[in-house]
Amino acid sequence: MKMNNLLENVPAIHVPEYLNMEISGICYDSRKISPGDVFVAIRGFETDGHKYIEAAVKAGAACVVCERSPDIRAPYALVEDSRAALALMSAVWFGYPARKLKIVGVTGTNGKTTVTSLLKCVIEQCTKAKVGLIGTSGNMIGEQHIPAIHTTPESFEMQKLLAMMVDAGCTYAIMEVSSHALVLDRVRGIEFEVGVYTNLSQDHLDFHGTMEAYAEAKSKLFALSKHSVINIDDAYASVMLEKAAGSVFSYAIDNDSADLVGKNVKQLSDRIYFCALMIGSLVRFELPIPGLFSVYNALAVVSSAFLLGLDIKQISEALPMCEGVKGRAEVVSAPADFTIIIDYAHTPDALEKIISAVRDGAQGKVITLFGCGGDRDSTKRPLMGEMAAKHSDFVVVTSDNPRTEAPGAIISDIIKGVQQTKTPYEVIENRKEAIFWTLESAKPGDVVILAGKGHEDYQIIGKDKIRFDEREVVAEYFEKYKT
């Protein structure tokens, strides 16, 4: 492809007329350059791609796209924003795959993974269409699973995935859209058929700084969406509504003015029942995932599916057939007279939701085991400690993914919040030992929540990523001590 064609939609400051050379690929990592590639110099968190222009040219880059003139002689195009340029060039390179798909983007602090997975299932059940999915727990092209590194991939990988979906016969793509992705232009140039907002609670303030900036980042999705689906029970809904460029469809439980309202909620230990009121009609729904938050997730799914043209009755018949997501209110099969639930909750709000969700079905105590990630927002640690202790009968504080921080220091931050309550607690730094101790301590009728890891099958300690799947840990405990 000719370089000038790649730049056809890119806001540029200076593009020399001679930039009509043939390009063999696009690359933004100088270590992966192949001869004939265009190197896009983007500014990252840890380093600036402009520092590696010389290395890229020596490796065979035919041209450079950058925000400032390079220090060496080389063909280059000067652009306003190289991240945006990467996204727009990638769309051209892969033949605008997003235009050949109906794309639904889901943003919010909690619920993204569940909503995207359930919506994929509902669409498949109702239409028999092939659906692609991009998200935290992996990317899927129909039933083919592709591991994920980021919740929302970098724009080049994003466009490549969308192109693979088109080639495989997908007609829909459902994706989680993180606040990082929106700020860093990873979805630039994609028009979303439907954009969905779930909720906002404290997370990622190490990146955004304030809740207001975090909300503003999330709201960018709705400027890119043909239809916006908004949870108007949420405190930050007005920020999202203000940015909505297309039509708006609202859902709620506590606000009867919403377009779709959840009514008559009945919670059991393993599922929920509710009615949805829309345009004067009342439709019954069932979802095999416990908790009030599951009603909100289901309402987001129903709203999105309806806007995609699916029949509401068909949606109600499909939803009970959709399984829960691994690591989201996941009940672990074990030879025990108490319940074990694995959940990804890693924010104060998510922790409160999962504990509250299981409390109604618990015959005994609710015991919550959790930790907090290192090298991430430290201000939420005492908040999570207080939230867990406030809603649980007993708390076990342990390690999560400490990364390069000392686990003991992270735990100390958590304990400050736990000690704001009178709830008894235990500190066991080693997560495997903590799980063993908790399972040994549980009594008949109790509910044990292992929070924070969810779908993850690893721990990051220092710079090392080690195998750690809580399902395997639970199985090992019962095999060692209860057989």
Side-chain angles (χ1 to χ4, degrees), residues 247-311:
S247 68
V248 173
F249 189 94
S250 59
Y251 69 94
I253 294 175
D254 297 327
N255 192 329
D256 287 345
S257 67
D259 296 301
L260 183 69
V261 184
K263 296 281 189 181
N264 306 327
V265 177
K266 182 181 179 182
Q267 299 189 55
L268 300 182
S269 59
D270 64 341
R271 65 191 57 242
I272 49 103
Y273 297 91
F274 67 97
C275 294
L277 178 65
M278 183 175 67
I279 320 174
S281 63
L282 200 65
V283 182
R284 296 185 182 279
F285 287 89
E286 174 189 349
L287 182 64
I289 308 173
L292 187 63
F293 62 86
S294 292
V295 179
Y296 279 105
N297 290 340
L299 291 171
V301 171
V302 173
S303 301
S304 304
F306 176 73
L307 289 174
L308 290 171
L310 277 62
D311 178 74

Side-chain angles (χ1 to χ4, degrees), residues 191-266:
E191 182 184 43
F192 292 87
E193 184 72 16
V194 180
V196 183
Y197 173 68
T198 60
N199 53 65
L200 201 75
S201 61
Q202 183 171 336
D203 200 15
H204 302 306
L205 295 194
D206 53 323
F207 179 79
H208 296 290
T210 66
M211 287 297 292
E212 289 71 27
Y214 184 28
E216 182 64 23
K218 293 287 189 189
S219 72
K220 292 176 183 292
L221 174 62
F222 306 103
L224 306 173
S225 300
K226 186 175 175 182
H227 305 288
S228 295
V229 171
I230 309 291
N231 170 15
I232 60 170
D233 277 348
D234 187 79
Y236 288 91
S238 59
V239 182
M240 313 304 149
L241 292 167
E242 189 177 337
K243 276 289 176 69
S247 68
V248 173
F249 189 94
S250 59
Y251 69 94
I253 294 175
D254 297 327
N255 192 329
D256 287 345
S257 67
D259 296 301
L260 183 69
V261 184
K263 296 281 189 181
N264 306 327
V265 177
K266 182 181 179 182

Side-chain angles (χ1 to χ4, degrees), residues 464-480:
D464 299 323
K465 195 174 188 178
I466 62 171
R467 176 78 184 181
F468 192 90
D469 188 322
E470 293 188 322
R471 296 149 202 82
E472 294 173 1
V473 175
V474 170
E476 182 183 341
Y477 167 81
F478 283 102
E479 185 178 334
K480 270 188 176 182

Side-chain angles (χ1 to χ4, degrees), residues 193-474:
E193 184 72 16
V194 180
V196 183
Y197 173 68
T198 60
N199 53 65
L200 201 75
S201 61
Q202 183 171 336
D203 200 15
H204 302 306
L205 295 194
D206 53 323
F207 179 79
H208 296 290
T210 66
M211 287 297 292
E212 289 71 27
Y214 184 28
E216 182 64 23
K218 293 287 189 189
S219 72
K220 292 176 183 292
L221 174 62
F222 306 103
L224 306 173
S225 300
K226 186 175 175 182
H227 305 288
S228 295
V229 171
I230 309 291
N231 170 15
I232 60 170
D233 277 348
D234 187 79
Y236 288 91
S238 59
V239 182
M240 313 304 149
L241 292 167
E242 189 177 337
K243 276 289 176 69
S247 68
V248 173
F249 189 94
S250 59
Y251 69 94
I253 294 175
D254 297 327
N255 192 329
D256 287 345
S257 67
D259 296 301
L260 183 69
V261 184
K263 296 281 189 181
N264 306 327
V265 177
K266 182 181 179 182
Q267 299 189 55
L268 300 182
S269 59
D270 64 341
R271 65 191 57 242
I272 49 103
Y273 297 91
F274 67 97
C275 294
L277 178 65
M278 183 175 67
I279 320 174
S281 63
L282 200 65
V283 182
R284 296 185 182 279
F285 287 89
E286 174 189 349
L287 182 64
I289 308 173
L292 187 63
F293 62 86
S294 292
V295 179
Y296 279 105
N297 290 340
L299 291 171
V301 171
V302 173
S303 301
S304 304
F306 176 73
L307 289 174
L308 290 171
L310 277 62
D311 178 74
I312 194 76
K313 191 74 169 66
Q314 279 187 303
I315 298 167
S316 71
E317 292 170 355
L319 205 54
M321 302 169 69
C322 299
E323 296 179 356
V325 181
K326 181 180 179 182
R328 267 68 174 182
E330 177 187 352
V331 179
V332 182
S333 177
D337 49 9
F338 53 87
T339 302
I340 305 163
I341 291 177
I342 292 176
D343 192 81
Y344 189 51
H346 60 285
T347 67
D349 181 63
L351 206 50
E352 178 188 14
K353 281 184 167 66
I354 185 61
I355 299 169
S356 300
V358 304
R359 178 161 289 286
D360 287 344
Q363 297 175 339
K365 292 182 177 179
V366 175
I367 304 167
T368 303
L369 177 149
F370 79 105
C372 290
D375 301 334
R376 296 293 187 271
D377 181 7
S378 61
T379 64
K380 71 179 182 182
R381 295 171 186 169
L383 299 177
M384 288 182 67
E386 184 175 3
M387 193 64 70
K390 183 178 177 182
H391 296 281
S392 306
D393 298 300
F394 195 94
V395 169
V396 180
V397 182
T398 186
S399 189
D400 192 291
N401 292 325
R403 298 183 178 86
T404 62
E405 281 194 72
I410 298 171
I411 288 171
S412 294
D413 288 341
I414 296 169
I415 293 302
K416 292 172 186 174
V418 176
Q419 291 175 339
Q420 296 299 310
T421 74
K422 294 181 180 179
T423 302
Y425 67 94
E426 184 76 21
V427 174
I428 303 173
E429 184 178 304
N430 182 286
R431 193 171 181 102
K432 181 177 177 179
E433 291 176 8
I435 292 172
F436 276 24
W437 185 91
T438 304
L439 296 178
E440 184 63 34
S441 303
K443 300 292 190 295
D446 287 352
V447 178
V448 172
I449 303 172
L450 307 179
K453 299 296 294 171
H455 61 281
E456 294 178 352
D457 58 5
Y458 59 84
Q459 261 193 306
I460 304 174
I461 300 174
K463 295 285 187 180
D464 299 323
K465 195 174 188 178
I466 62 171
R467 176 78 184 181
F468 192 90
D469 188 322
E470 293 188 322
R471 296 149 202 82
E472 294 173 1
V473 175
V474 170

Side-chain angles (χ1 to χ4, degrees), residues 23 32 95 145-146 276 283 387 426:
I23 295 298
K32 299 177 180 178
H145 190 273
I146 303 167
V283 182
M387 193 64 70
E426 184 76 21

